[in-house]
Amino acid sequence: MTVRTTRTAVVAATAAGLSVALAAPALAATPAGAGGHDATRKAMEAAVDAGVPGVTATGRDGHGTWSATAGVGDLKTGKPRSADDRYRVGSITKTFVATVLLQLEAEGRLSLDDSVEKWLPGLVRGNGHDGGRITLRQLLNHTSGIFNYTADQDFGRTYFLKDGFFKHRYDTKKPEELVALAMTHKPDFEPGTSWNYSNTNFVLAGMVIEKATGRPYGTEVRRRVIEPLHLTATSVPGTRVTVPGPSSRAYSKLAETAAGPTYDVTKLNPSIAYAAGEMISNSTDLNRFYTALLRGKLLPREQLAEMTTTVPIDEVNSYGLGLMKSDLTCGVTVWGHGGGIHGSTSEAITTKDGHKSLAFNFNGDWSGDAGAVIEAEFCGKGVQGQVARLSPGPGLR
């Protein structure tokens, strides 16, 4: 199975093509300023050529809002993707969760320097894990060293590969079960000594929100972020297995290689992701969220400064609190997050001043260069992406 990886190389197209024939990439757009996003459209078409069934994107800049689609949203009918498509956003959920935790800190209800043990006594324990030595801040910036439960081989076979997925796609998993699975492994490193992306961190963050507020973390996300920003396409599905319309189908190879049949994986119980990656949104809502966040409309100045204080990942990428910073080849710095879950690969990015933003989705998880789409939009040229995007393949990223 694959998890989120960090690398400066291009996210290679790993499939020669789909096993189901695609119609010629149909590109539809309502641009703000004719010809201003040609490189982005070409990068979207290149992703379809590489095997992604379809792409939907919406961007905002000083000229207004533009949208474009490429490829198809349904391999059986050939129906194109829509600019209004809702899709599973995977780990983009993490920025929403971090925002709520920081709001709680601003209200004096918790501190990022609190230990995990203080809020979730006895939960992070075993095989060298010690919640008393891990802070909430270390959960949010992935310096806790806690093992990533989705990297467990049995979990991967059960939920991300073909035989297991079709047998278990509707299973409900409790967050305590996900953490317990992580505790069966040794930590990746001593808390605060290194960096490694771990979905377990944000499962725990969601549980802390529930302990601090007495309400489900999804309720807090809705009342603190979704409703104030009027994000009408954004939801926290819990155990709901469908994606609300308008939406496209989601496709996966359900394999560790990009060869073989393509499967429709649209329906699944996202409780296996919980606060690490269960949310649903669309490109317009994601642009609004990240723009509002970076412009200080969701957090006081002190908490936004904490969120944007990063630890290095590699030469061009660093990670804050549920928020990633990447330096593009043209010198532009962008902030945001990527996300991957069965059949869905998404990116949401903005400049720090919120002046320019982009959100897009591939409805396939085995191919396509998301970094190239980002470079094309923010640098205006078609180059291979060097930012740390998602590696293709099934899994929660």
Side-chain angles (χ1 to χ4, degrees), residues 89 245 286 291 361 377 382:
V89 302
L286 292 178
T291 298
N361 172 262
E377 176 62 12

Side-chain angles (χ1 to χ4, degrees), residues 120-366:
L120 304 170
L123 193 63
V124 179
R125 213 175 271 178
N127 282 313
H129 288 96
D130 181 359
R133 299 174 55 226
I134 298 168
T135 66
L136 303 186
R137 187 190 312 275
Q138 289 168 338
L139 295 181
L140 298 186
N141 66 11
H142 295 296
T143 61
S144 72
I146 297 174
F147 183 83
N148 178 12
Y149 74 93
T150 59
D152 178 87
Q153 291 186 1
D154 286 341
F155 188 90
R157 284 190 292 267
T158 301
Y159 294 103
F160 301 137
L161 301 183
K162 179 174 72 75
D163 292 342
F165 174 78
F166 286 115
K167 186 176 179 180
H168 296 282
R169 69 194 299 178
Y170 300 128
D171 287 2
T172 293
K173 301 294 287 185
K174 295 180 179 179
E176 292 85 358
E177 295 178 81
L178 305 178
V179 176
L181 176 59
M183 295 303 103
T184 66
H185 297 265
K186 293 181 180 180
D188 294 324
F189 48 80
E190 288 292 305
T193 63
S194 188
W195 185 93
N196 191 47
Y197 195 84
S198 174
N199 288 305
T200 315
N201 288 326
F202 276 79
V203 170
L204 290 163
M207 297 177 75
V208 170
I209 290 171
E210 298 191 354
K211 192 71 175 287
T213 65
R215 289 181 288 269
Y217 96 89
T219 298
E220 292 300 301
V221 169
R222 279 189 290 271
R223 75 183 195 89
R224 292 170 174 271
V225 180
I226 294 174
E227 292 173 2
L229 293 182
H230 306 290
L231 305 180
T232 57
T234 303
S235 60
V236 184
T239 59
R240 188 185 70 220
V241 303
T242 57
V243 178
S247 59
S248 292
R249 311 306 294 176
Y251 297 98
S252 179
K253 298 292 185 181
L254 294 175
E256 294 178 299
T257 66
T262 300
Y263 301 99
D264 186 324
V265 295
T266 308
K267 291 184 178 181
L268 60 89
N269 185 332
S271 65
I272 63 165
Y274 184 62
E278 73 169 288
M279 288 180 65
I280 292 168
S281 191
N282 73 359
S283 299
T284 297
D285 274 10
L286 292 178
N287 285 330
R288 186 177 300 146
F289 167 61
Y290 280 98
T291 298
L293 178 63
L294 271 296
R295 286 181 172 174
K297 296 187 185 223
L298 291 170
L299 294 173
R301 182 174 298 179
E302 179 182 348
Q303 276 68 40
L304 184 57
E306 289 185 285
M307 182 178 244
T308 54
T309 298
T310 63
V311 294
I313 300 172
D314 53 35
E315 294 83 359
V316 296
N317 302 285
S318 57
Y319 201 94
L321 305 183
L323 190 67
M324 191 169 187
K325 174 186 176 186
S326 297
D327 298 323
L328 305 184
T329 58
C330 57
V332 173
T333 297
V334 293
W335 297 79
H337 214 289
I341 193 168
H342 306 73
S344 182
T345 301
S346 308
E347 295 286 346
I349 320 97
T350 185
T351 52
K352 195 170 186 182
D353 60 6
H355 178 73
K356 185 178 180 68
S357 60
L358 174 70
F360 62 93
N361 172 262
F362 297 167
N363 63 337
D365 61 20
W366 68 90

Side-chain angles (χ1 to χ4, degrees), residues 2-124:
T2 58
V3 295
R4 186 182 176 94
T5 59
T6 56
R7 57 184 174 175
T8 54
V10 59
V11 181
T14 56
L18 293 172
S19 59
V20 180
L22 288 176
L27 197 64
T30 52
H37 307 280
D38 287 348
T40 311
R41 298 186 186 99
K42 288 178 181 177
M44 292 167 62
E45 288 181 312
V48 173
D49 290 342
V52 175
V55 186
T56 181
T58 296
R60 295 176 61 186
D61 57 24
H63 300 289
T65 299
W66 68 277
S67 297
T69 65
V72 298
D74 189 317
L75 291 173
K76 287 186 177 179
T77 67
K79 180 181 177 181
R81 296 213 64 176
S82 164
D84 297 320
D85 269 358
R86 300 180 188 191
Y87 44 82
R88 301 187 190 277
V89 302
S91 285
I92 290 173
T93 302
K94 291 179 170 68
T95 312
F96 286 84
V97 171
T99 299
V100 171
L101 259 182
L102 284 161
Q103 288 179 348
L104 292 172
E105 185 196 49
E107 295 164 8
R109 300 172 71 173
L110 54 77
S111 168
L112 291 184
D113 296 320
D114 288 344
S115 71
V116 175
E117 180 71 13
K118 175 180 177 179
W119 288 100
L120 304 170
L123 193 63
V124 179

